[in-house]
Amino acid sequence: MRLADNQLIALFTDLLGVDGVVLFDRLAPNLHERVVASLTPDSLPPTSVLYPQTIAELSKVITLAYEHRLRVLPCGSATKLDWGGLVSRADLVISTSKLNRVIEHCVGDLTVTVESGVKYQDLQTVLAKEGQFLAIDPPYSVEATIGGILATGSAGSLRHRYNTVRDMCLGIEFVRSDGEVAKAGGRVVKNVAGYDLMKLLTGSYGTLGIATSVTFRLYPLPEYTQIVIVTGTAETIAQAQQKISTSILTPTACDLLSATAIADLGLGEGIGLVLQFASLKASVIEQCDRIAVLAKELNLEVQILGEAKEFWELLEILIWQDELRNLEQSPESASIVCKLGILPSASVSFLKECEQIFDAQSYYLQIHTGSGLGILRVEDVQDLEVIALQISKVRSIAEAHSGFLTILESPHALKFKNNVWGYTGNANDLINKIRQQFDARGLLSPDRMF
C-alpha cells in the first residue's frame, strides 16, 4: 500500500533534512508550471520536489522510491523538463541541481568530470580559465545543467564540427531505478571499458536512470572566430550550400535560417546561410574571404560579423525566447517549438515548403546543414486544431525526406491529443525491452517516450 503524502514527506525529510524537501504547492511559480506542463492533465500532482546534495543521498532517495513503488520525475534545473512526451504520473520530482561539483579537470588530457547538476555556463567559465571549452551549445545555456543536456541530447550549431553530446561523453555514473549506482566508460579519451551506456542514456529523457556524473572530452579555445552570413534566394543559397559542402572549407557551424529569422535579426532579406569559422586568425580570414568570393559569384549578399558570441545569443533569444517561458501565456501568445530532422540535401526545399505552410503566421526555422537537424518555432498559436494540422503537414514532409518531427514545447492540450514523437517505426518492441532491463517497474518518467 502506498504511503500517505504526509508519511512520504516525513520519510524524505528524515533523509534529506528540511531544506532538501520542498512541498509542491510551495514551489516557485515557473518551476511549478514546468512540472505541470510535463504531466498528463489527468495526473495527480507530485507531493514534493527533493534536492539531494550528494550521490549517496540520491541513491538512498531512489532506493526508497523503488521500495515504495513511487513514480519519479527526474530533473536538473527544469529548463527542458516539459520537452517531449507527457509523464503519466509522478509521485516525486527529484532534482540534481545541488549535485554541482567539478570533480576533476585533467587539463593535459583535455577531459573534465562533473556532477550532473553543474550548469553549462558555469562549467564553460571554469574551462575557459585553462583555454579550453566543451564543444556543445545547448538551448537555455544560462540555466541548463549537464544532466539535463545529456538526458535530452540537446546540442546546437557546433555539432557541425564537433558532433553530438554522445560523441563528447567519455564516461558516466548514474543511479538505476532500484537505487544502485552504475558506471560506464572512463575518464580518458581512449577508454573502452564496459558497455557503451553513455550513448544509451543520452537522449533517454530520464527513463533509464539518473546521471550523477559525466566525463567529457574537451577542445582548446580557438584563437580567432568570425561569422559570415550570406543571404539570397532559395536557389542561390542551395547552390552555395552545395559548393561549401564539397569544398575544403572547415566551418565550425553551418546553419540555414528562414527569411523570417534573417529579417528579425536585422540581417537583410531572403534565406540566410550562417557560417562560423574558428581557428588560427590567418586561416579564419582566408576562409571568410573565400565565402565572400563565392557569394559574389552567386550574386548573394554577404556580411562578416566579428562578434560571434553576440550573434549566437541573439539567435538563441529569437528561437527559444526563454523569458516568455516564465510568464503565463494567453492563448493568443502561445508558441510551439519542434525538433526536426531531414536529409541535408533537402533542407532548402523543406524551408520553402514551410514558408507556404506558415505564410500567415510568425515562425522561425533553423537547420544545421551538416546533420539536417533543426528547430522550428511557431508563434501566435490560437487554434490548436489548425496548428495540429500544420505540424502534421510539416512532419509528413520531413518523413518524406527520411526525417522526423518531435514536439518539444507546446500548449498542454496539443501534446495530450497528438503524437508528440511522431515515431511510427518498428523499434517500439526494442525500446520496451531496454526499458524493462533498466526499469522493470516503470518508475522513472513513466510513459514519457510513448
Side-chain angles (χ1 to χ4, degrees):
M1 181 180 294
R2 181 185 181 276
L3 297 178
D5 288 355
N6 61 338
Q7 293 175 306
L8 288 176
I9 292 167
L11 180 68
F12 290 108
T13 301
D14 288 342
L15 175 61
L16 302 176
V18 175
D19 294 338
V21 180
V22 179
L23 299 184
F24 184 67
D25 57 5
R26 296 182 183 177
L27 288 177
N30 63 318
L31 178 56
H32 187 282
E33 290 299 320
R34 203 69 49 79
V35 173
V36 170
S38 68
L39 301 172
T40 57
D42 55 354
S43 173
L44 294 175
T47 61
S48 55
V49 178
L50 308 183
Y51 293 91
Q53 298 191 40
T54 66
I55 295 171
E57 284 186 350
L58 176 60
S59 175
K60 291 177 182 177
V61 166
I62 297 299
T63 299
L64 285 174
Y66 183 80
E67 291 173 354
H68 293 282
R69 293 182 177 270
L70 301 174
R71 284 156 289 194
V72 171
L73 177 61
C75 72
S77 58
T79 57
K80 297 176 284 293
L81 186 60
D82 56 338
W83 277 21
L86 298 176
V87 173
S88 59
R89 174 71 186 272
D91 300 301
L92 299 168
V93 177
I94 299 179
S95 170
T96 60
S97 60
K98 292 189 177 181
L99 301 178
N100 54 11
R101 297 183 304 125
V102 176
I103 298 172
E104 184 179 21
H105 180 196
C106 298
V107 178
D109 291 336
L110 288 168
T111 64
V112 68
T113 302
V114 298
E115 290 183 333
S116 57
V118 170
K119 291 183 178 179
Y120 165 85
Q121 194 170 79
D122 293 343
L123 176 59
Q124 295 288 38
T125 300
V126 171
L127 299 177
K129 294 177 181 178
E130 300 295 341
Q132 297 176 354
F133 77 113
L134 177 61
I136 55 178
D137 49 344
Y140 309 122
S141 57
V142 174
E143 293 295 325
T145 63
I146 293 301
I149 293 168
L150 183 86
T152 56
S154 55
S157 301
L158 288 178
R159 66 173 295 145
H160 183 85
R161 163 64 178 83
Y162 299 101
N163 294 320
T164 66
V165 178
R166 286 182 173 87
D167 300 294
M168 297 293 107
C169 187
L170 302 174
I172 190 171
E173 179 184 82
F174 65 98
V175 177
R176 303 186 324 196
S177 65
D178 60 359
E180 291 294 319
V181 178
K183 296 181 180 180
R187 297 188 181 182
V188 294
V189 173
K190 293 186 178 181
N191 189 292
V192 293
Y195 295 106
D196 197 352
L197 296 180
M198 295 82 71
K199 287 184 171 61
L200 191 60
L201 265 73
T202 301
S204 63
Y205 281 77
T207 60
L208 303 180
I210 302 177
T212 54
S213 66
V214 187
T215 299
F216 289 107
R217 70 172 74 231
L218 305 173
Y219 288 87
L221 282 169
E223 176 186 307
Y224 190 69
T225 302
Q226 274 193 335
I227 288 177
V228 183
I229 301 174
V230 293
T231 54
T233 64
E235 292 73 19
T236 51
I237 289 293
Q239 293 178 45
Q241 179 187 339
Q242 175 63 27
K243 288 179 178 292
I244 292 168
S245 66
T246 57
S247 72
I248 61 172
L249 297 171
T250 56
T252 55
C254 186
D255 289 352
L256 275 172
L257 293 182
S258 63
T260 52
I262 288 295
D264 282 13
L265 288 169
L267 296 172
E269 298 179 351
I271 294 173
L273 183 61
V274 179
L275 299 111
Q276 176 175 280
F277 296 95
S279 183
L280 299 175
K281 185 173 183 178
S283 173
V284 170
I285 292 174
E286 180 183 352
Q287 293 191 77
C288 289
D289 289 343
R290 291 191 180 189
I291 294 296
V293 171
L294 174 62
K296 185 176 181 181
E297 292 174 353
L298 296 175
N299 198 29
L300 293 166
E301 296 293 325
V302 60
Q303 301 175 64
I304 297 179
L305 308 180
E307 295 295 330
K309 182 179 179 181
E310 181 180 348
F311 168 80
W312 293 119
E313 288 176 349
L314 290 173
L315 181 60
E316 179 177 354
I317 291 171
L318 185 70
I319 297 291
W320 297 99
Q321 299 192 19
D322 188 17
E323 73 283 356
L324 295 180
R325 303 186 77 216
N326 297 330
L327 300 174
E328 186 175 350
Q329 296 188 36
S330 64
E332 291 77 18
S333 63
S335 59
I336 292 178
V337 179
C338 301
K339 180 179 180 179
L340 54 90
I342 54 170
L343 289 174
S345 58
S347 54
V348 174
S349 60
F350 176 82
L351 199 151
K352 288 179 63 179
E353 290 181 274
C354 286
E355 284 183 351
Q356 297 175 359
I357 293 173
F358 301 109
D359 62 338
Q361 286 177 273
S362 176
Y363 84 100
Y364 306 109
L365 182 58
Q366 174 189 20
I367 301 176
H368 312 310
T369 62
S371 63
L373 295 178
I375 296 294
L376 168 67
R377 179 183 185 89
V378 184
E379 298 188 311
D380 304 324
V381 174
Q382 300 180 38
D383 190 326
L384 293 187
E385 292 186 4
V386 171
I387 194 64
L389 180 60
Q390 291 173 318
I391 294 299
S392 178
K393 288 180 180 179
V394 176
R395 177 176 281 161
S396 296
I397 296 168
E399 291 174 348
H401 293 294
S402 304
F404 67 91
L405 182 145
T406 296
I407 301 173
L408 297 182
E409 302 171 11
S410 79
H412 209 188
L414 183 68
K415 282 190 178 184
F416 190 59
K417 295 178 181 178
N418 293 273
N419 185 343
V420 170
W421 301 105
Y423 179 71
T424 57
N426 57 2
N428 281 329
D429 288 343
L430 177 60
I431 293 172
N432 277 321
K433 288 177 181 178
I434 293 172
R435 176 66 182 261
Q436 282 294 313
Q437 289 294 316
F438 281 82
D439 182 17
R441 295 183 179 180
L443 301 179
L444 298 178
S445 297
D447 299 321
R448 167 148 264 174
M449 302 300 287
F450 299 100

